[in-house]
Amino acid sequence: MTDRYAVVGNPVEHSRSPAIHAMFAAQTGQRLAYERLLAPLDGFESTLRAFAAAGAKGCNITVPFKFDAFVLAARRTERAQLGGAVNTLRFDADGWAGDNTDGAGLVNDIQHNAGRPLAGLQVLLVGSGGAAAGVLGSLIAARPERICVVNRTVDKAQALVANHAHLGHTSGVRLAAATLAEAPANQDVVVNATSTSLAGATSPVEPHVLARGALALDMMYGPKAQGFLDWATAHGAESRDGLGMLVEQAAEAFFFWRGVRPDTAPVLAALRAELGTTP
Ligand code: ATR
């Protein structure tokens, strides 16, 4: 029996997830098929229910349905609960289990692939939408010294930080919220979780946020990330796109479904070769 999975979104045609999971499956000897499923904007739930009724085992969820998936999950992992969004569903017989693997994907990429252990560092998280909310809990769990969340609309940064205050306290991580203009200087790791790069912009924050030798990561990849990456490189930072995060969050989802952890390095290398990108 081949188990079926899919990435569900709108749009979904450019998703790399089918290729990534096909490589994971080949590597681990797991028998599964992974497809793209375009859900109408007003038909997410019915699309999912039909897919599950056809015997599928689970799915990934992408824009704009991660909040809808959160609501549809009968139970959720702690990290999904904290981020308020679900990007991975497992269709268990006793109800759908929801997880959010984005944060672990980001942290694994920073720590293992980019070789930057976050413990003790100063981290700047730029943005306070769904993408930022999905990763803040995992960033805190990696125990940097401090995380400052900055956003154009400062209320949203404050709300996000307030929502994570308990975790920050128990993890011994100082949390702060500020406007883009108030972003602190000399940050070791800067993560762009805004959608500004979609508009081809460079960076929503000023170059003084970058400490010498900082890592500046955009959660996007391809042409959408290029403006931010060029800005970071021009100001002496090590730039990194979101491709590693994409592969790592997929590996976390694969583990959530199959209980098997794939080796991400050859998959990331294959994607980079195909896309012709450097980190
Ligand atoms: P996503 O799910 O990708 O996070 P979102 O929830 O719409 O999308 O959030 C988009 C993020 O990008 C927000 O932090 C948004 O800032 P606001 O909360 O102030 O709207 C940020 N963003 C979008 N366009 C921006 C711009 N031109 N300049 C600065 N920040 C921008």
Side-chain angles (χ1 to χ4, degrees):
M1 262 299 278
T2 299
D3 292 335
R4 286 175 75 198
Y5 297 88
V7 54
V8 186
N10 187 334
V12 80
E13 66 267 25
H14 298 299
S15 172
R16 299 271 161 191
S17 293
I20 293 170
H21 284 282
M23 285 189 261
F24 287 165
Q27 184 197 95
T28 59
Q30 295 281 307
R31 288 189 60 174
L32 59 91
Y34 190 109
E35 54 205 92
R36 290 183 186 85
L37 207 53
L38 177 70
L41 289 175
D42 61 352
F44 174 67
E45 181 173 353
S46 54
T47 301
L48 275 200
R49 296 218 179 276
F51 189 52
K57 300 290 185 191
C59 63
N60 285 130
I61 299 94
T62 188
V63 179
F65 299 123
K66 292 183 187 182
F67 304 107
D68 306 75
F70 180 88
V71 174
L72 290 176
R75 58 182 180 280
R76 308 170 193 109
T77 59
E78 209 176 313
R79 59 194 186 183
Q81 194 66 35
L82 199 56
V86 157
N87 79 337
T88 305
L89 281 171
R90 195 179 56 218
F91 301 143
D92 293 344
D94 59 346
W96 294 354
D99 193 8
N100 192 330
T101 65
D102 285 333
L106 174 69
V107 168
N108 286 344
D109 185 54
I110 292 173
Q111 300 202 131
H112 303 148
N113 301 339
R116 303 241 181 178
L118 286 163
L121 300 189
Q122 306 285 325
V123 175
L124 180 66
L125 179 60
V126 187
S128 298
V135 302
L136 182 55
S138 297
L139 285 172
I140 294 170
R143 295 177 187 259
E145 184 181 306
R146 179 179 189 260
I147 302 174
C148 184
V149 181
V150 293
N151 197 44
R152 178 177 61 182
T153 312
V154 72
D155 306 19
K156 284 169 67 181
Q158 286 163 346
L160 193 54
V161 163
N163 203 25
H164 289 72
H166 180 69
L167 182 63
H169 185 71
T170 54
S171 306
V173 179
R174 288 195 293 140
L175 299 179
T179 63
L180 294 173
E182 291 164 351
N186 293 321
Q187 301 297 293
D188 302 304
V189 174
V190 176
V191 175
N192 185 18
T194 68
S195 48
T196 49
S197 39
L198 289 173
T202 56
S203 167
V205 286
E206 297 298 322
H208 69 256
V209 302
L210 299 166
R212 185 184 293 270
L215 176 71
L217 185 150
D218 196 306
M219 287 195 192
M220 311 265 183
Y221 63 91
K224 290 171 183 168
Q226 205 55 50
F228 181 82
L229 301 185
D230 290 345
W231 168 86
T233 309
H235 294 96
E238 177 190 339
S239 65
R240 190 165 183 86
D241 67 7
L243 205 57
M245 174 183 169
L246 179 75
V247 173
E248 294 295 339
Q249 66 75 28
E252 286 283 319
F254 194 89
F255 181 74
F256 187 66
W257 293 324
R258 313 295 300 182
V260 176
R261 209 167 269 288
D263 181 6
T264 52
V267 175
L268 180 54
L271 273 188
R272 289 222 182 278
E274 188 193 329
L275 295 171
T277 63
T278 49

